[in-house]
Amino acid sequence: MDLEEWLVRKRLLLATAAAASLVMLTGCLADTYPLTEGEQDIIAEYAAGVLLRSDENYTQALNSPIPTPSPEPTPTPTPAPQPTEGGGKDKDDHGGKGDNTEVVENASLNEVFGLEGLTVEYEGYELYGVLEENGGYVVKPGKGNMLMRVAFTLTNTAGIEQEFAFAEQGINYRLDCGEKNVLSPKITGMEGDMLFMKVTLAAGESCDAYVIFELKERAKPVEGKVIVSRDGEYTSIVVLE
């Protein structure tokens, strides 16, 4: 027997003795911490492996109390949702107003104002250098400009007294009289100015109302028109005459 073989046997004997001692120790503790026979074998072999792990000739594997996990399955990616026909929008999605909204571009003035029991009629226009009320309220245009007062008649056609608050109606007025840009009405505090007018009319009663514009003296109102609209749904074209 050579020296190397003798050393290996010696290590094995020492490991066996240590393992036996550990088994005896575990046996002493069995009453307090009961172990199964398999658990005792694992402890004994683990002790032997610790003592011999520095020996390059020792290749015995330790028992493992935990089973080796099987490879985890590779998750299947969720397919991306495919766009529906028509660019991904629902066939009932029209991207704007619903089908029940009718845009009336050549509506009457009554349709634009949309107040039950009220009729609105265009009466004509007049040009002024200065506008002055009986109470002394004066509206003056800028240099080289003039004022245009577009007149309407309001009539309560209901059988009861009614109050009409035009500032709450959101009515838009624009003047197109051959200039480069259309004009917005001039804001004034004159009685009858339809931008902020509030009036109470008895059944069948009528009153005058106005919208006032400031325009260049060179403008040609006779070739113009007033565009009256509400909410982008109703538009009435009033030809100036």
Side-chain angles (χ1 to χ4, degrees), residues 63-81:
N63 289 332
S64 175
I66 303 175
T68 303
S70 58
E72 295 185 0
T74 303
T76 303
T78 303

Side-chain angles (χ1 to χ4, degrees), residues 32-112:
T32 305
Y33 304 102
L35 299 175
T36 65
E37 183 177 350
E39 290 171 338
Q40 294 179 17
D41 292 341
I42 290 172
I43 294 173
E45 186 168 351
Y46 183 81
V50 169
L51 293 175
L52 297 175
R53 63 187 175 185
S54 60
D55 189 344
E56 61 182 6
N57 295 317
Y58 180 74
T59 58
Q60 183 176 359
L62 301 179
N63 289 332
S64 175
I66 303 175
T68 303
S70 58
E72 295 185 0
T74 303
T76 303
T78 303
Q82 298 297 318
T84 58
E85 186 176 352
K89 291 186 178 182
D90 188 87
K91 63 181 180 179
D92 293 329
D93 180 9
H94 301 284
K97 296 182 182 296
D99 287 342
N100 294 330
T101 301
E102 181 180 0
V103 178
V104 182
E105 296 182 350
N106 194 22
S108 68
L109 286 172
N110 294 331
E111 288 176 312
V112 172

Side-chain angles (χ1 to χ4, degrees), residues 120-224:
V120 182
E121 298 176 279
Y122 167 67
E123 296 295 340
Y125 73 91
E126 294 178 291
L127 299 174
Y128 297 88
V130 175
L131 274 172
E132 185 174 357
E133 287 187 333
N134 293 334
Y137 181 79
V138 177
V139 179
K140 295 181 179 181
K143 185 177 180 180
N145 292 349
M146 59 182 174
L147 299 174
M148 172 192 286
R149 186 170 69 178
V150 181
F152 298 90
T153 297
L154 311 178
T155 303
N156 178 13
T157 58
I160 59 173
E161 180 179 274
Q162 294 195 92
E163 181 183 83
F164 303 102
F166 293 100
E168 300 173 2
Q169 289 300 107
I171 306 296
N172 296 313
Y173 307 88
R174 291 172 293 165
L175 173 63
D176 183 356
C177 58
E179 294 295 301
K180 182 177 180 180
N181 299 315
V182 295
L183 302 176
S184 297
K186 189 176 183 66
I187 299 174
T188 75
M190 296 191 68
E191 184 179 357
D193 188 331
M194 293 180 70
L195 295 183
F196 299 102
M197 182 180 181
K198 179 183 288 188
V199 62
T200 300
L201 298 176
E205 184 180 5
S206 299
C207 72
D208 297 329
Y210 313 95
V211 180
I212 300 169
F213 296 92
E214 181 176 345
L215 60 159
K216 298 293 184 181
E217 290 181 347
R218 68 174 182 269
K220 300 178 180 179
V222 72
E223 299 176 2

